Amino acid sequence: MVSLSRGLKVCLTLAALLFAAAAFSLFVGLQKPGQEGFPFLCGSALHPPTDDFPKSVCGYLNRNQQLKVGWLASSGLIVAVGGFASFGVSRRTEVERAH
């Protein structure tokens, strides 16, 4: 039987948190404060604005958020693979006793 080591379980938990943060950052709506104080809606990292005016107002806000999503997802993958490489799985055999 194969079981996950304690270190790998911790790494997989941290990787899951990083993937959750990446997913949240991908879908969260982005805003930029306007000159009158009202926020200008800039879409999200998944759906950036396509018209010229919102693109000019939002600038690099959406691209920066996309980079953040990429870094979070990459970090999650590195933590998961690194945990597997460092701690791995343990194999054990179970003996069934006759009554």
Side-chain angles (χ1 to χ4, degrees):
M1 178 172 225
V2 175
S3 64
L4 303 178
S5 65
R6 183 175 291 143
L8 181 56
K9 288 178 185 177
V10 170
C11 287
L12 291 177
T13 301
L14 291 174
L17 290 172
L18 287 168
F19 286 131
F24 176 77
S25 297
L26 184 65
F27 294 110
V28 70
L30 301 173
Q31 298 178 0
K32 187 167 186 176
Q35 291 180 350
E36 288 83 28
F38 296 106
F40 187 84
L41 302 178
C42 294
S44 67
L46 186 61
H47 297 291
T50 56
D51 296 334
D52 289 335
F53 180 68
K55 277 183 171 180
S56 65
V57 171
C58 297
Y60 292 112
L61 186 64
N62 295 88
R63 187 180 62 94
N64 292 343
Q65 190 74 1
Q66 290 169 348
L67 290 172
K68 178 181 176 182
V69 168
W71 279 106
L72 285 169
S74 298
S75 298
L77 186 63
I78 289 169
V79 168
V81 171
F84 184 76
S86 297
F87 302 107
V89 294
S90 58
R91 298 184 188 279
R92 58 188 166 106
T93 56
E94 293 184 3
V95 178
E96 190 173 317
R97 296 182 187 193
H99 290 77

